[in-house]
Amino acid sequence: MSVFVANEQADHPVDEPALARLARLVMDAEGVEESEVSLLLVNRAVMTDLNGRYMDEERPTDVLAFPIDGPSPASGPPEGPSGPRGFAADRLGDGDDEDALDDEDDDDAPWLLGDIVLCPSYAAEQATRNGQSLAAELELLTVHGILHLCGFDHAEPAEEQAMKARTNELLTRWRAGERL
């Protein structure tokens, strides 16, 4: 699995290799194999533009998740719309379409999971409000974004509870030193 990180902001220093390692841990834990994900770190102006263009919200946000060839992007807390329910399962199909399976077998290219866009400037404000470091906030947002790409949602209370529990489980593993 491949994780590409592009840091296009200069507002806050970010441990890019650590975020890439965390992304691999989450993808592995979610059973995502031979896939690619991109983490893009942007400034507040770029995030405001993306949030306005794709979410009809004329304000910055902390994280946006863009599934490749999938439905609308998912946005993380606070007040972000939910991601596509069962996106990963939908992408893999139900096994009834033999032609699609044959095409997948012939394709040696990795599956493109999607793109996660993070705004460290916005995340820094949240980190202060939440009493944690920027690094911890970016870890949370990275896990949150990848879980959206893997089909998790937080539109309904039960879904939100399941997503929070999985996020906490993965962050506990990460912070306990589990690495890939």
Side-chain angles (χ1 to χ4, degrees), residues 11-100:
D11 299 327
H12 297 277
V14 174
D15 186 348
E16 298 161 32
L19 289 181
R21 288 190 305 272
L22 173 59
R24 283 187 202 92
L25 179 128
V26 174
M27 291 165 57
D28 183 62
E30 291 304 308
V32 178
E33 299 176 5
E34 297 186 32
S35 62
E36 293 180 2
V37 70
S38 296
L39 299 175
L40 177 63
L41 299 126
V42 299
N43 65 32
R44 185 178 287 272
V46 171
M47 185 59 100
T48 300
D49 179 60
L50 290 171
N51 203 28
R53 190 177 331 160
Y54 295 103
M55 304 305 295
D56 292 325
E57 296 283 338
E58 297 301 325
R59 62 178 178 80
T61 190
D62 50 5
V63 59
L64 290 170
F66 295 91
I68 298 298
D69 297 329
S72 298
S75 174
E79 304 168 8
S82 61
R85 182 73 180 148
F87 175 73
D90 292 345
R91 293 262 307 159
L92 295 174
D94 59 9
D96 290 338
D97 187 351
E98 290 182 27
D99 291 335

Side-chain angles (χ1 to χ4, degrees), residues 12 22 62 77-78 120-144 167-168 171-172 174-175:
H12 297 277
L22 173 59
D62 50 5
S121 177
Y122 193 92
E125 293 172 9
Q126 285 184 170
T128 300
R129 284 193 302 272
N130 295 333
Q132 65 181 359
S133 68
L134 174 58
E137 189 73 19
L138 290 173
E139 291 168 357
L140 170 74
L141 297 173
T142 298
V143 172
H144 186 91
T167 299
N168 290 338
L171 285 172
T172 298
W174 170 254
R175 291 172 182 158

